[in-house]
Structures are given as structure tokens and as C-alpha cells.
Amino acid sequence: MKIKKWRADAQALLFLLPFLIVYGLFTIWPMFKGVEMTFYKWTLIRKMDFLGWDNYSKVLQDREVWEALGHSLIFVVLTTPTMLVLSISLALIANRKSMLQKFYRSIFFIPSVLSVAVASYLGLFVFQPYTGLVNSVLHLIHLLPGGTEIFWLTETRLAWIAITLITLWWTVGFNFILHLSAIQEIPDEIYEAARLDGAGDRQMFWRITLPYLAPITKTITMLQIIASFKVFMQIYIVTGGGPLDSTRPIIQLIYQTGFKSNDLGYAATMSYLLFVILLVLSALQYWMNNRKGAEL
Amino acid sequence: MQKLVDEFNKSHPDIKVKNTKLVWAEYYTKLITAVGNGNGPDIGISHTSRLPDLINQGVVTDLDAVAGEAGVDWATFNQNLLDATVVDGKHYAVPIDTHPFIMYYNKKLLKEAGLLGDDGKPVLEQSADGFLAFLKTLKEKLPAKTTPFALSNSNDDPYRLWWALYSQLGGNDLVSDDLKKAEIDKAKGIQAAEYIQKLFTEGYIKKNDPDFYKNFQSGTAAIMMTGVWATGTWEATKGLEFGAMPIPKLFGQEATWGDSHTIILPLTKSEDPAKRKAALIFADYVAENGQIWAKAGHIPSKPSVLEKQEYKDMPYRSDYAAVAGTVKFNKPSTKNWQIRDNVSFKILNEVWANKMKPAEAMDKMEAGVQKELDK
């Protein structure tokens, strides 16, 4: 018995080896190298001076870093709850028996196959003044007086709205599919029984659908928070982080510090700060999920 | 550039140049990392403004010894362009052009407004008030949909205009001579910024123009300012009757923003002297045959090229070739690009959007420049 198990393990290891090598080389090793970088003044081509803990004390006092983190947090708060509501709503719409069922499923999902650059440039064209879709429609229905324009991308608040809408449109498809398949898993008998007991649509949604979706919703929430914290490209393309850095997320600051200001050591330090924050968030989420599970 | 390489390879059988095109935004990062790994090219291109940073990082080598061997005569270059490539008394690059900030105008629209002289040049008094009066007439005489002055509302081009006017006022760069301190000539910076802010607030420049190039290209803007590289594009546009000229002298002295492309020798593993010599022969050849490169609109770095019939036969270029002598380059600071991207652009953008007073902007710029220099 024991020998058999050992052989099975060895076989598994053999098959895993190619992956482990690549994973180690391109993920684990750079992580350690990254830690080393945080202790140096390290430019694109060479390690320069040993700084000790300087980068760490600097990062904790750097207003730019905390502001950028704040912007990433704003993005998380703007996108995560709206994403969940939108994703569940779309899943409910697409799950209803109707002629348009297939049509809904495709149009809700299609945007998520686009690359970030395509999605962002489309967004840029939609929100730009004079010729953009949004302003043109507003002019058409006379909500916006002729001769005036809304400058979506150059006012901080409006820029956040534009970025959020673009992101939701682009990424909701994936979460929508997850929610849709979870809805389809709910046994019809439960709804039937509830209907016999006299439950209305609203009650069935709150008492049956939503609780059944709770596990997948929790997973989506966590993935969404982490993904939103790592936001970069769409903001970079749409506003460039402006006006006056008011929408610049932490990843953009890391990129600028590393590759524009040529200070990889400090950029790495910021990355680890973000890493720790995400780690704490994940642990918190894990702990909360487990506690809730125990209560049930 | 490919055409230049082909012709060079034909005429120099013993030297072979291979050309690699890279996406512009990634070029410097790739160059620096490649040289760091020892896989750098034998020859490279750099902007003059980027040179100090490359020298500081040990990416490029100085050229004085090998230039002599390759027969490069520094005296044949435009002195202004050449001076900008000399750091600590050593030549680090062979300038092949300059691409300054100039002014384009739409002849049809200017004529309609009665502002086109018989010589095909704008009727424009070269002074701060004169230029404002010129724009005012354009705005009054042309249909409301026409933009008097097409200019981007953010980043490069309005910054270039600011730099030009700041330099015309005699402003002396943003950093001190020892390159360690932020040193902005604030009164002059404010005056230049106030002047440009007025162009925006008084409606001569279209607010948040999504594409000011297209605006001028489609014939709905009377004038526009940008780098000389637009010449090639306008030429290829059917039905666009345009002219090109140096930007007007609004203040004390002629000056404009500009940068140069230069040929550099990146540090290589072997440092093969024969290759280095060959590279410089190529660099000199490119500069000597600047008329080919000038097709894109750039001004050649050797005055002798300007005398060539082939160059003179190209329209527009001669109208602004003299600008090469008045380009005001940055001091050789290693932080030029960071200062521009991370500080000047974003703060001046706020001034153009009328959200910040020029005086406050200059204070913020000084603090920002100092922060970049301290990094």
C-alpha cells in the first residue's frame, strides 16, 4: 500500500514538474528578487546603492502613494457593489424564458472578450466631447442644451463615472456567466413548493434565489475586489490618471516610478505594500466566510 | 529611415546596417535593458533631451576618439544642435535633425478673414498684442464653427507653446546650472502661462478639442501649432492649402521648443572598434543626406544640406529651416523627461483648464521639479 502511494506521488510530481519549474522560475523567484530590490536603489540596468529600510520608511510617509492607494480604493468601492447588482440582474433577465434568451446571453457576454485597450478606446470615443456618443444622445433628447458640452474625461467626478461605466460594461459578462449558471443550478421544485405556499416573486427572490447565490457571490466579490485594486490600463488610457493625478491608481504610480522615473527599487516597495494590503483583505474575507459558515 | 539605410548599404559595401523598428513608447526602456544585459545594438537613436539620462546610466559612450577616425567633422553641423549634444565637454551623439514646434496656417481661411498677404504669408504683427488681434479677427470674420487656433488642451503641445514663450521672455530653464535645484524664472513663467490661458478662456482655442490634428486637417481650424513632423501629413492631405512658418516672436527674442534626433553608440560587450567606426560613418552619412530624412518634415542638422537643390525643391521646409538656430534646448539634466511628464504637463494642464492660477502653478512646478531632482 505504502509503496503504491509513493509511486503515485512520484508520478504526479513528474507530470507537475514542467509546471513547477516554470512557476518557480517566473513567479516564485521574481518574488524573492523583488524583495531584494526593495533594499536597493535599483535602476533599469543595475543595482546601485544599498539603502536598507529607507524605501520602506519612505513609502509609509509618501503622500503620493497613499493618494494613489485611495484612488484604487475609490475604484473598488465604485465598481464592486454595482458589479454584483448588475451581474445578478442581468443573470435574472437572461434566465427568464423568452424568445430573446439567447440574444441576451450573447450581448451581455460579448464585451468581456474584448481586450482592455479596445474596450478603453471605445469608451474614450463614447465619452469624448463634441462627437462622443453620450453627449450626442444628450443633445438629441435635449437634456443638454445646444452649444454646451459635458467634459466627461477632464472633471474628476465625471471621469470616475466614465471609468466605472466602461469597466462595468467591459467586465460584467464574466461574472454574469457565473451567476447565470448558479441560478440554473437552483432546483425548480423549490420555487414550485414556495409558490404553492403562496410566495410572491419578490419573496422568492430574497428568500430563495439570493441565498442560493451566496457562495458564488462571495467568490465573485473577492475576485472583484482584488481585480479592482489592480486596476491600471483602462484608467491609463482613458484619463491618464488625470486631471492632476486625481484618478491615478497605485499600479500606475508603481509603473511610473519603476519605468519612467527609473527607480525599480522603490516601485517594488510599493508593490509589496499593495501585496500586503491584498493579503490582509483576502484573509479577512476568508475569516468572515468561515465564521458565517459556522453560524449556519 | 529605412530608405536611408538601404541607400547607405548600397553605397558602402563593407558596412551593413540593419534597422529595427520598435514601438515608440517602449523604445528607451528596451534600449536601456538591452544594453544592461549586454545585448544592446551597435548603434541607436536618442533624443537630445534624453541623452544626459542615458549617459548617467552608462548606456552610451562618448564619441570623440572614434569620430576623428571616422572622419566626422563637427564644424559641419548646426552649432545650436551640436552644443546640445555635448555634455561635460565631450561629444556623445551625432545630431541628425531638429524637430521644433512651429505654426501651420490654412491659406483659404486666412484669405477669407482677409489675413493672407499677397506673398501667401499671414498678415500678422509679431508681438503679444499683434497675435491676439490676429486671432480676434479670425474669430470675428470666420463662421462660428471654425476654430481660430487648433491646439490640444493638455500635455505636449500647450506645454511646448509655454516653453517657447517662456524662452522668448528669456526664461532660463526649470533647473539651476548645476542641475541640482529647481530654478524657475517665475515672473516669466507666469507671464507666458497667463498669455496662453487667455487664448483658452477667450475661446480662440476650442475647449477640450478631442482631436486638434483632425480639426486642422479637415479645414475647420485657421492655424495650429505642433512639431514639424506634421508637414508630411498635411502634404498628403488632399485639398488642404496650408503654409508653415516659425511660431511668431511674441516677446523679446526668437525662441521655440524643439528636440533633436541623434545617433548614439550604446555600450556593447565587445566594443569592437571597427564596428564603432562603421557606425559613425553611417551616422555622418545620415546627417549628410538629411534631405531624405527631411521628407518627414524635420530640419536637417547640417547647414550644407539646406543648400542642396533636392532640399530646396521640397515645399514648406525652407520656410522654417531657420528655426534650427533658435530652438531652446533643456539643460542636460538626467531628469528632463520625468520633470516634463510628471510635473510640467499635469500642472500646466490645470492652468489651461482654468482651474489653477498661473502663479500657483509656478509654485507647484518648482516644488514638483525639486521633488523629481531629489529622487
Side-chain angles (χ1 to χ4, degrees):
Chain A
M1 250 343 234
K2 238 182 186 170
I3 290 173
K4 229 180 180 179
K5 181 151 190 304
W6 177 85
R7 278 186 56 172
D9 281 350
Q11 262 175 353
L13 195 68
L14 197 70
F15 282 113
L16 282 172
L17 210 58
F19 169 77
L20 285 178
I21 290 171
V22 173
Y23 185 71
L25 209 62
F26 292 105
T27 305
I28 305 293
W29 168 244
M31 276 177 75
F32 284 106
K33 198 74 184 165
V35 175
E36 187 195 351
M37 289 171 87
T38 61
F39 293 103
Y40 288 88
K41 173 140 186 83
W42 194 307
T43 70
L44 278 171
I45 60 169
R46 63 195 157 149
K47 185 152 78 164
M48 290 169 87
D49 312 309
F50 182 73
L51 297 175
W53 295 97
D54 281 7
N55 277 334
Y56 289 91
S57 56
K58 193 164 129 196
V59 83
L60 294 175
Q61 292 164 21
D62 193 337
R63 239 187 58 202
E64 275 192 332
V65 172
W66 293 103
E67 274 172 10
L69 270 171
H71 299 149
S72 297
L73 186 66
I74 288 175
F75 183 75
V76 171
V77 171
L78 283 174
T79 53
T80 310
T82 43
M83 172 67 80
L84 290 173
V85 173
L86 193 64
S87 158
I88 293 178
S89 313
L90 294 183
L92 287 172
I93 292 171
N95 192 46
R96 279 205 319 220
K97 301 213 165 21
S98 87
M99 305 259 291
L100 294 170
Q101 208 177 34
K102 277 212 174 115
F103 172 71
Y104 284 140
R105 286 181 195 184
S106 335
I107 57 160
F108 296 156
F109 185 68
I110 281 173
S112 61
V113 304
L114 298 175
S115 76
V116 59
V118 174
S120 309
Y121 275 104
L122 279 173
L124 209 55
F125 287 126
V126 167
F127 285 104
Q128 77 183 9
Y130 304 105
T131 49
L133 181 72
V134 176
N135 278 6
S136 302
V137 168
L138 290 177
H139 277 140
L140 205 68
I141 57 174
H142 297 291
L143 262 179
L144 194 63
T148 51
E149 293 290 328
I150 300 179
F151 299 116
W152 291 97
L153 306 173
T154 44
E155 301 284 338
T156 307
R157 274 164 198 236
L158 295 177
W160 275 122
I161 293 174
I163 292 164
T164 306
L165 291 175
I166 292 167
T167 307
L168 288 176
W169 169 77
W170 171 49
T171 54
V172 76
F174 181 69
N175 295 330
F176 153 76
I177 290 289
L178 294 179
H179 268 134
L180 182 65
S181 58
I183 286 178
Q184 286 167 346
E185 296 276 302
I186 305 175
D188 281 340
E189 302 91 79
I190 298 181
Y191 288 110
E192 276 168 34
R195 200 165 287 125
L196 281 177
D197 287 340
D201 281 350
R202 193 180 296 176
Q203 266 180 317
M204 288 201 281
F205 172 72
W206 289 106
R207 299 287 170 87
I208 300 173
T209 315
L210 220 49
Y212 260 94
L213 292 181
I216 190 72
T217 305
K218 273 181 198 158
T219 310
I220 291 176
T221 310
M222 200 57 231
L223 291 176
Q224 188 61 38
I225 288 175
I226 292 176
S228 296
F229 251 116
K230 296 197 293 189
V231 66
F232 170 44
M233 271 313 273
Q234 61 267 47
I235 293 183
Y236 192 67
I237 293 172
V238 173
T239 67
L244 207 63
D245 292 338
S246 62
T247 59
R248 178 173 66 180
I250 184 72
I251 304 281
Q252 188 185 339
L253 183 61
I254 291 171
Y255 164 75
Q256 282 176 342
T257 307
F259 295 100
K260 296 257 160 138
S261 301
N262 199 9
D263 191 348
L264 291 180
Y266 192 44
T269 315
M270 289 182 205
S271 308
Y272 281 93
L273 180 67
L274 179 66
F275 175 70
V276 169
I277 290 172
L278 291 180
L279 204 66
V280 169
L281 271 176
S282 309
L284 212 65
Q285 172 87 4
Y286 184 75
W287 175 71
M288 269 166 42
N289 277 352
N290 277 5
R291 212 178 52 146
K292 265 209 183 127
E295 273 173 14
L296 282 172
Chain B
M1 185 46 90
Q2 188 59 49
K3 192 173 174 225
L4 268 166
V5 170
D6 291 343
E7 296 209 354
F8 176 80
N9 284 338
K10 239 188 279 164
S11 57
H12 295 72
D14 51 336
I15 305 173
K16 176 105 184 103
V17 176
K18 251 171 54 189
N19 193 16
T20 308
K21 264 194 213 162
L22 288 173
V23 180
W24 166 230
E26 298 167 358
Y27 171 68
Y28 285 108
T29 310
K30 284 201 171 156
L31 176 70
I32 293 170
T33 42
V35 170
N37 293 333
N39 299 322
D42 296 316
I43 188 165
I45 299 260
S46 168
H47 280 103
T48 292
S49 58
R50 192 69 198 234
L51 208 50
D53 186 31
L54 295 181
I55 297 169
N56 177 256
Q57 298 209 43
V59 173
V60 296
T61 54
D62 79 89
L63 308 175
D64 286 306
V66 63
E69 266 178 66
V72 176
D73 180 5
W74 296 120
T76 59
F77 289 86
N78 174 305
Q79 202 59 40
N80 187 33
L81 306 188
L82 191 68
D83 285 347
T85 63
V86 175
V87 178
D88 294 332
K90 286 185 199 153
H91 289 279
Y92 276 94
V94 179
I96 56 177
D97 72 18
T98 180
H99 42 90
F101 188 66
I102 60 162
M103 178 169 139
Y104 295 97
Y105 52 94
N106 182 312
K107 287 187 176 169
K108 259 192 221 160
L109 290 173
L110 254 54
K111 199 175 211 169
E112 212 179 306
L115 289 173
L116 195 71
D118 294 332
D119 54 353
K121 301 215 157 90
V123 180
L124 163 64
E125 190 203 320
Q126 303 248 343
S127 71
D129 292 335
F131 187 61
L132 276 180
F134 175 77
L135 290 173
K136 196 161 176 242
T137 312
L138 285 172
K139 197 176 177 195
E140 285 166 1
K141 294 269 175 74
L142 294 174
K145 284 229 158 184
T146 314
T147 309
F149 181 3
L151 192 73
S152 161
N153 282 226
S154 60
N155 298 349
D156 298 272
D157 287 292
Y159 162 76
R160 288 169 182 149
L161 180 58
W162 176 80
W163 175 263
L165 298 189
Y166 176 65
S167 302
Q168 288 190 355
L169 285 160
N172 181 32
D173 210 335
L174 311 181
V175 294
S176 61
D177 286 337
D178 64 2
L179 310 176
K180 289 196 178 106
K181 280 219 141 47
E183 199 177 274
I184 302 177
D185 230 324
K186 280 193 200 164
K188 289 168 183 159
I190 291 169
Q191 194 182 341
E194 272 172 353
Y195 187 84
I196 300 168
Q197 193 181 41
K198 208 177 341 170
L199 302 182
F200 282 99
T201 52
E202 297 196 351
Y204 298 128
I205 300 170
K206 187 174 176 178
K207 208 175 169 200
N208 284 303
D209 195 341
D211 193 341
F212 74 109
Y213 267 66
K214 207 154 115 207
N215 194 352
F216 184 76
Q217 193 172 19
S218 59
T220 52
I223 65 164
M224 76 98 71
M225 290 184 189
T226 191
V228 293
W229 49 80
T231 303
T233 314
W234 304 152
E235 273 178 327
T237 306
K238 273 204 182 112
L240 182 66
E241 283 173 45
F242 74 100
M245 62 181 275
I247 69 162
K249 184 182 136 197
L250 304 185
F251 299 109
Q253 62 194 65
E254 298 258 12
T256 190
W257 174 93
D259 208 338
S260 291
H261 290 117
T262 68
I263 289 184
I264 50 168
L265 293 189
L267 195 72
T268 53
K269 249 186 208 155
S270 55
E271 289 298 322
D272 181 346
K275 271 190 177 170
R276 285 171 62 83
K277 186 179 161 194
L280 268 210
I281 292 175
F282 172 71
D284 201 44
Y285 175 90
V286 172
E288 195 63 49
N289 290 281
Q291 74 278 4
I292 301 174
W293 187 232
K295 285 202 172 110
H298 303 1
I299 304 172
S301 60
K302 292 203 180 193
S304 61
V305 177
L306 304 180
E307 301 306 319
K308 289 189 185 177
Q309 198 54 41
E310 230 181 314
Y311 182 79
K312 285 185 173 161
D313 286 347
M314 281 189 278
Y316 312 110
R317 276 91 181 154
S318 305
D319 295 336
Y320 56 73
V323 175
T326 60
V327 169
K328 182 84 163 38
F329 289 95
N330 287 107
K331 285 177 191 164
S333 161
T334 57
K335 299 289 176 71
N336 279 337
W337 282 41
Q338 286 97 306
I339 288 172
R340 198 195 61 186
D341 289 2
N342 300 344
V343 184
S344 306
F345 278 3
K346 72 182 188 201
I347 293 171
L348 287 173
N349 286 348
E350 295 300 295
V351 177
W352 315 145
N354 208 14
K355 288 187 205 154
M356 196 187 280
K357 292 236 153 56
E360 191 192 341
M362 290 306 127
D363 290 340
K364 285 213 160 142
M365 268 169 72
E366 191 169 61
V369 169
Q370 191 61 51
K371 200 175 165 201
E372 285 298 329
L373 291 173
D374 290 342
K375 268 183 187 166

